[in-house]
Amino acid sequence: MLKKILILTLFFPVYGIAQSFTISGYVKDKSNGESAIGANVYVKEGMIGASTNTYGFFSLTLPAGKYTVVCSYVGYVSFTDSINLKENISKTILLDPKGKDLNEVDVTAEKTDENIQSTQMSSVQLDIAQIKKLPAFMGEVDILKAIQLLPGVKSAGDGNSGFYVRGGGPDQNLILLDDATIYNAAHLLGFFSVFNGDAIQNVTLIKGGMPAQYGGRLSSVLDISMKEGNSQRLQVDGGIGAIASRLTIQGPIKKDKASFIISARRTYLDVLSKPFFKYVRPKSNFAGSSYYFFDLNAKLNWQISKKDRLYLSGYYGRDIFKFKDTESSFSVNVPWGNAVACLRWNHLFNAKLFSNASISYTDYDFSFTASQSNFELTIFSGIKDWTAKYDLVFIPNPKHTFKTGVNYIFHTFTPSNVSAKQGETTFDIGKIIRLYSHDAAIYVADDWEITKRLKVNAGLRFSYFAQVGPFTRYVKDPLGKTIDTAVYGNGKKVVDYHGLEPRASIRYSFTKSLSVKASYTRNYQYIHLASISSVSLPTDVWMPSTDLIKPELGNQYALGVFKNFNHDMFESSVEVYYKTMKNQIDYKEGAQPQDNVFDNPDNAFTFGTGEAYGAEFFLKKRKGKFTGWVGYTLSWTWRQFSEINYGKRYLAKYDRRHDASLVLTYDPNKVWTFGLVFVYGTGNRGTLPNGLFAYEGGVNYDYGLRNSYKFPDYSRLDISATYTPDRDKQIKRKQGRIERRYERRGKDITQIKLPRAWAKHYQGSWTLSIFNVYNRHNPYLIYFDAKGDFLKGDYTVQGKQVSLFPILPTITWNFKF
């Protein structure tokens, strides 16, 4: 009997025998029909509420009665409505976007303390409109560069969009675009991300306390949602910048029922450089070279019924580098990029039960082809995924949110392969290596508010991974010589792994503006990225877990204090974390990825452990004309491999003791917006030679311990100013000029029709961004210049620093109508 009472209490903890009903529905932008992700919906009576999910859905179950429903969302005028809850209510809430001239008090509502009250910690949600206000490198709005400004996230280098989270490697970040995995999120060797800001609606970064629905990576989740397309009217956005142009077209297929969006971006470095190289004398080393990248985003969404919605989204992007020397007949062709597609179906079983099913396809490939005369050499690699997911969310009452789901991925890995031919002759350098694997998981989680002060999110994930044939294992002796082979047929299991991944977060509120949170996350990672930074991109190889490569295992503990000030105008937090990582992967000393001929790629790897710990400080101003944040991270990141650095523990190359950022935006009026970004960090680490020695008639470098050299500190200041002409004043001035013209000609001014370009929805803006304002020469790499004769005693070596970007001003014109 006691057990039954306990179960009933879990599901109906506060309402007793009072009859309850549910108000549920969707929150959308009134101007374009876009879903509002993370909007707060609550009732003033008792301040009981919920947040909308990725699709804008919310559900609130309350005792029968009269309530005042409030919906608030940053950047929108708050919505208020009175209801008499005597039956289940389905409601679509439409929010009006705020204008710059609206008082901030009118825009935000009372319940803006989600950062205090939720169990989720180590998470930040960024709106794309906020990101667009920041200074942009070369005029290109970049999501990945924006998240690098957050505590606990470190950049890969000057101008680079690669990022490292809490001591993890770049492969330990799960990057999702509308539920589809993105394996390489960078263009131009990392200087730009693949995400076109005009096609993106929302960005969420989770650094710790990873919910149970996410898995497969140790460090973080970057969940990016594309826009759904304007369901109210046809809309065109675009921009012309220093190196690229963008164009986005979106609109309704059937108003309020179906919509589309297509967004494209392309650089024109190749177009601008060709005429220049043609007339340069003497001939430039870059003559004959060509580089460009492009992106294409597309999405369709269709509301089939009140309970069913379909989304079809896709992305295709390529980088293409070409070089051709007509004099020597030498040419190089290097294309690489991503192609993804995802079909999702939302179904609402009832006001409390929401489901999402999806099927997605991901393809990343990289190839390098060099040819001269009739000889051709190609190196290529890649990874393909087919993914199926099904998720259920059950919200019995405001105290509980249950989530459960399953997902399955079929991986096809193509590690670095080599092919060569001369004329019609193809060289036998082994079969193309492809590795196949199954990757599956099931999870369950509950977000439970036990009392007003205590709230817990507990979850459990079970993951399973199996490598399957066809596969040939080359068995090696201790000296690396092949002594045997083992052959596995199609679909035959080579090896499998599985494990439980418990997740837990707890929040204790002292007051409405002060809480303490703690979390524990355990993750398995079954796929790995092996990279040698000193060689080119084809060596960045994705590999599955095999009988030699064990799954990576991470355990992260985090503790944080969260405090809001001045009626939630300021948010602050201090978080400390400790992370352990097992079965980390790296190349053995002297190994090269192209050594795969008649061999297995994993024979070149060595395995070790990692450890990371630190503290993160964050202060954000979220309301007013001045907004922005200050972030600071103090951290340590270690690695240890038995076959590297003599087995001694060493600091990882992306270890950075101090990392600080200042981000400010200022909106003084409707016309001007100003942005400022300042970053400072202690230098990355590297391995440099300590001395020289002569061997077999040559000069060789004697390198120091792994990553024993610390590069000079890094700092940079960027600023921007955006001018958006007052559209109403522009229309009035234009209309005044036309009226005067009509009057001079004796025409009836009541018949005036403004040109289409000056119609109601037109808006243009100019943005000036200045990158590296004080022209600091930040280190990108260090090389050594040798002169003289070693045997004569006049041999000298001088280290020289390469810095990429001086002060770079750029102007971008953006338009929308």
Side-chain angles (χ1 to χ4, degrees):
M1 182 67 181
L2 180 63
K3 184 177 180 180
K4 292 180 180 179
I5 294 174
L6 178 61
I7 293 174
L8 288 173
T9 304
L10 289 176
F11 280 87
F12 306 100
V14 292
Y15 305 130
I17 61 174
Q19 190 173 12
S20 298
F21 297 101
T22 301
I23 176 173
S24 62
Y26 295 84
V27 180
K28 296 185 177 183
D29 183 318
K30 185 177 181 180
S31 66
N32 56 30
E34 291 280 353
S35 298
I37 302 171
N40 292 313
V41 182
Y42 64 98
V43 293
K44 284 188 175 181
E45 296 78 7
M47 297 298 288
I48 300 171
S51 296
T52 58
N53 66 8
T54 307
Y55 304 96
F57 175 77
F58 72 93
S59 176
L60 272 175
T61 299
L62 303 164
K66 294 182 178 180
Y67 296 96
T68 302
V69 178
V70 179
C71 179
S72 66
Y73 194 46
V74 175
Y76 290 80
V77 180
S78 61
F79 170 91
T80 304
D81 189 23
S82 297
I83 62 168
N84 186 4
L85 192 62
K86 55 185 180 180
E87 61 182 358
N88 290 340
I89 296 175
S90 178
K91 189 177 187 65
T92 298
I93 298 175
L94 301 177
L95 297 180
D96 281 310
K98 80 179 183 75
K100 283 189 178 181
D101 54 343
L102 286 178
N103 189 306
E104 193 70 30
V105 175
D106 297 328
V107 176
T108 59
E110 297 172 30
K111 189 176 174 60
T112 55
D113 56 355
E114 186 70 13
N115 64 310
I116 301 294
Q117 300 303 326
S118 72
T119 54
Q120 182 65 59
M121 63 183 300
S122 310
S123 176
V124 179
Q125 181 173 305
L126 294 176
D127 184 75
I128 191 64
Q130 181 183 16
I131 296 174
K132 286 184 175 182
K133 292 181 179 181
L134 303 180
F137 174 66
M138 299 294 286
E140 288 300 302
V141 173
D142 197 317
I143 292 170
L144 299 189
K145 287 187 176 65
I147 68 169
Q148 291 172 6
L149 302 173
L150 299 170
V153 184
K154 294 178 172 58
S155 69
D158 200 13
N160 201 294
S161 59
F163 64 101
Y164 306 90
V165 178
R166 290 185 170 178
D171 63 322
Q172 295 174 357
N173 304 313
L174 177 62
I175 302 177
L176 300 173
L177 179 64
D178 272 3
D179 263 358
T181 304
I182 300 292
Y183 280 101
N184 187 313
H187 285 306
L188 191 57
L189 308 182
F191 293 113
F192 299 96
S193 78
V194 300
F195 304 111
N196 179 357
D198 289 348
I200 302 303
Q201 180 189 12
N202 190 78
V203 181
T204 301
L205 174 70
I206 302 173
K207 301 177 292 181
M210 192 181 297
Q213 65 263 35
Y214 297 110
R217 301 294 188 276
L218 297 192
S219 291
S220 75
V221 177
L222 182 63
D223 199 346
I224 301 171
S225 301
M226 286 174 55
K227 291 179 179 177
E228 298 172 359
N230 195 321
S231 64
Q232 303 300 305
R233 65 177 183 85
L234 184 66
Q235 178 181 328
V236 179
D237 306 78
I240 299 175
I243 67 166
S245 290
R246 316 175 312 277
L247 182 66
T248 301
I249 302 174
Q250 56 184 311
I253 299 173
K254 184 177 181 180
K255 191 172 181 179
D256 294 323
K257 290 291 184 181
S259 62
F260 75 94
I261 180 171
I262 299 174
S263 185
R265 174 177 62 164
R266 190 194 191 278
T267 59
Y268 28 72
L269 291 173
D270 56 326
V271 178
L272 297 177
S273 61
K274 282 183 179 179
F276 175 78
F277 290 135
K278 183 177 180 180
Y279 296 104
V280 170
R281 295 292 183 272
K283 185 178 179 181
S284 169
N285 291 331
F286 295 100
S289 62
S290 169
Y291 170 81
Y292 65 94
F293 69 76
F294 66 87
D295 299 298
L296 179 64
N297 295 78
K299 187 171 183 178
L300 297 172
N301 92 85
W302 178 25
Q303 183 179 335
I304 303 172
S305 67
K306 289 184 178 180
K307 293 189 174 184
D308 295 279
R309 286 169 167 79
L310 279 179
Y311 301 86
L312 177 62
S313 54
Y315 167 82
Y316 184 75
R318 306 297 287 178
D319 289 69
I320 298 176
F321 173 78
K322 295 181 179 180
F323 175 81
K324 187 173 184 179
D325 187 345
T326 55
E327 296 179 1
S328 64
S329 72
F330 176 74
S331 64
V332 172
N333 184 27
V334 188
W336 72 94
N338 300 276
V340 301
C342 184
L343 177 65
R344 293 177 292 169
W345 170 41
N346 291 171
H347 178 67
L348 193 62
F349 288 96
N350 54 53
K352 300 179 181 181
L353 185 60
F354 178 90
S355 72
N356 180 67
S358 66
I359 298 175
S360 64
Y361 170 75
T362 297
D363 182 11
Y364 169 70
D365 66 275
F366 193 122
S367 68
F368 173 93
T369 300
S371 62
Q372 188 168 21
S373 300
N374 62 346
F375 178 78
E376 181 178 288
L377 174 70
T378 300
I379 304 174
F380 58 96
S381 63
I383 180 173
K384 292 181 182 180
D385 287 351
W386 283 99
T387 303
K389 294 175 61 178
Y390 188 72
D391 300 285
L392 282 170
V393 180
F394 177 51
I395 311 173
N397 54 63
K399 302 293 183 180
H400 282 277
T401 300
F402 294 95
K403 294 182 179 181
T404 186
V406 296
N407 72 276
Y408 167 78
I409 307 172
F410 181 72
H411 299 286
T412 302
F413 299 85
T414 307
S416 285
N417 285 264
V418 180
S419 66
K421 66 179 182 178
Q422 187 161 8
E424 300 298 323
T425 303
T426 301
F427 296 96
D428 181 15
I429 50 179
K431 295 180 180 179
I432 294 176
I433 300 174
R434 288 195 174 93
L435 305 175
Y436 305 92
S437 60
H438 302 288
D439 192 341
I442 184 170
Y443 73 89
V444 61
D446 180 25
D447 198 54
W448 179 19
E449 186 176 349
I450 301 174
T451 69
K452 284 289 185 181
R453 294 185 182 274
L454 184 62
K455 192 174 185 180
V456 174
N457 186 301
L460 183 64
R461 183 182 181 92
F462 175 77
S463 57
Y464 174 82
F465 186 90
Q467 183 195 359
V468 296
F471 176 70
T472 301
R473 164 61 66 194
Y474 294 89
V475 182
K476 302 286 185 176
D477 65 12
L479 298 178
K481 183 180 178 180
T482 300
I483 57 175
D484 197 6
T485 59
V487 179
Y488 299 84
N490 284 341
K492 186 175 181 181
K493 184 178 71 176
V494 179
V495 66
D496 66 347
Y497 300 97
H498 57 81
L500 288 174
E501 304 175 30
R503 316 283 176 83
S505 298
I506 185 170
R507 178 227 72 197
Y508 185 83
S509 298
F510 292 95
T511 66
K512 289 184 178 180
S513 62
L514 174 64
S515 68
V516 173
K517 303 180 186 182
S519 69
Y520 167 71
T521 306
R522 182 182 179 92
N523 293 76
Y524 281 97
Q525 180 167 331
Y526 297 101
I527 66 174
H528 322 268
L529 182 69
S531 175
I532 295 181
S533 59
S534 60
V535 293
S536 58
L537 275 175
T539 60
D540 292 344
V541 178
W542 284 98
M543 286 288 298
S545 293
T546 65
D547 53 338
L548 295 184
I549 304 176
K550 307 302 180 185
E552 297 179 46
L553 174 61
N555 290 280
Q556 183 177 164
Y557 310 83
L559 177 68
V561 179
F562 299 79
K563 171 68 177 174
N564 287 4
F565 302 91
N566 196 15
H567 304 289
D568 297 321
M569 177 177 286
F570 293 93
E571 298 177 0
S572 67
S573 65
V574 178
E575 296 187 40
V576 294
Y577 66 89
Y578 176 74
K579 182 194 295 185
T580 61
M581 295 166 281
K582 295 182 179 180
N583 302 324
Q584 300 299 283
I585 183 173
D586 205 341
Y587 280 105
K588 297 177 181 177
E589 299 281 11
Q592 294 292 328
Q594 59 267 29
D595 296 340
N596 295 340
V597 178
F598 298 110
D599 201 355
N600 300 122
D602 52 6
N603 283 322
F605 300 141
T606 183
F607 310 97
T609 60
E611 183 182 30
Y613 47 88
E616 301 167 1
F617 302 83
F618 187 61
L619 175 64
K620 179 181 180 181
K621 185 175 184 293
R622 60 182 306 274
K623 295 188 288 186
K625 292 185 175 181
F626 266 112
T627 57
W629 68 81
V630 180
Y632 169 71
T633 305
L634 173 68
S635 62
W636 289 260
T637 302
W638 298 90
R639 294 291 186 271
Q640 187 169 18
F641 292 81
S642 61
E643 298 185 53
I644 297 177
N645 204 50
Y646 307 104
K648 298 178 180 178
R649 190 171 79 150
Y650 60 90
L651 291 166
K653 62 183 178 182
Y654 34 85
D655 173 81
R656 191 176 298 162
R657 190 71 59 250
H658 305 283
D659 193 84
S661 61
L662 170 65
V663 178
L664 293 175
T665 59
Y666 177 50
D667 294 293
N669 51 50
K670 294 173 63 176
V671 175
W672 287 99
T673 297
F674 300 95
L676 179 147
V677 169
F678 174 76
V679 293
Y680 167 81
T682 48
N684 289 336
R685 309 197 72 88
T687 307
L688 299 181
N690 288 333
L692 305 168
F693 64 92
Y695 180 73
E696 295 184 349
V699 178
N700 295 272
Y701 291 111
D702 178 23
Y703 283 87
L705 296 176
R706 175 68 69 98
N707 296 336
S708 57
Y709 176 79
K710 185 177 78 68
F711 283 78
D713 291 352
Y714 180 96
S715 71
R716 194 188 75 244
L717 173 67
D718 307 331
I719 59 174
S720 67
T722 299
Y723 172 68
T724 306
D726 189 316
R727 189 173 60 207
D728 295 334
K729 289 182 179 179
Q730 284 184 312
I731 292 175
K732 288 179 181 179
R733 284 197 297 268
K734 185 70 175 179
Q735 188 168 7
R737 288 196 294 268
I738 296 176
E739 287 178 355
R740 289 190 292 272
R741 191 183 310 139
Y742 270 47
E743 289 175 348
R744 288 195 300 269
R745 297 176 180 177
K747 295 184 177 181
D748 183 3
I749 62 174
T750 62
Q751 302 300 315
I752 293 176
K753 292 184 178 180
L754 291 177
R756 184 179 181 86
W758 293 91
K760 178 181 178 181
H761 299 292
Y762 171 79
Q763 185 172 329
S765 65
W766 291 89
T767 299
L768 169 66
S769 292
I770 303 178
F771 180 87
N772 195 7
V773 171
Y774 51 85
N775 198 34
R776 178 176 172 84
H777 298 288
N778 288 301
Y780 182 72
L781 60 86
I782 292 177
Y783 73 96
F784 293 89
D785 185 23
K787 297 180 180 179
D789 190 322
F790 187 81
L791 298 178
K792 293 181 179 180
D794 60 354
Y795 190 83
T796 60
V797 178
Q798 182 181 8
K800 295 185 177 181
Q801 174 181 301
V802 175
S803 300
L804 289 183
F805 302 111
I807 180 173
L808 285 175
T810 55
I811 296 178
T812 304
W813 175 56
N814 298 297
F815 59 85
K816 173 182 176 181
F817 58 86

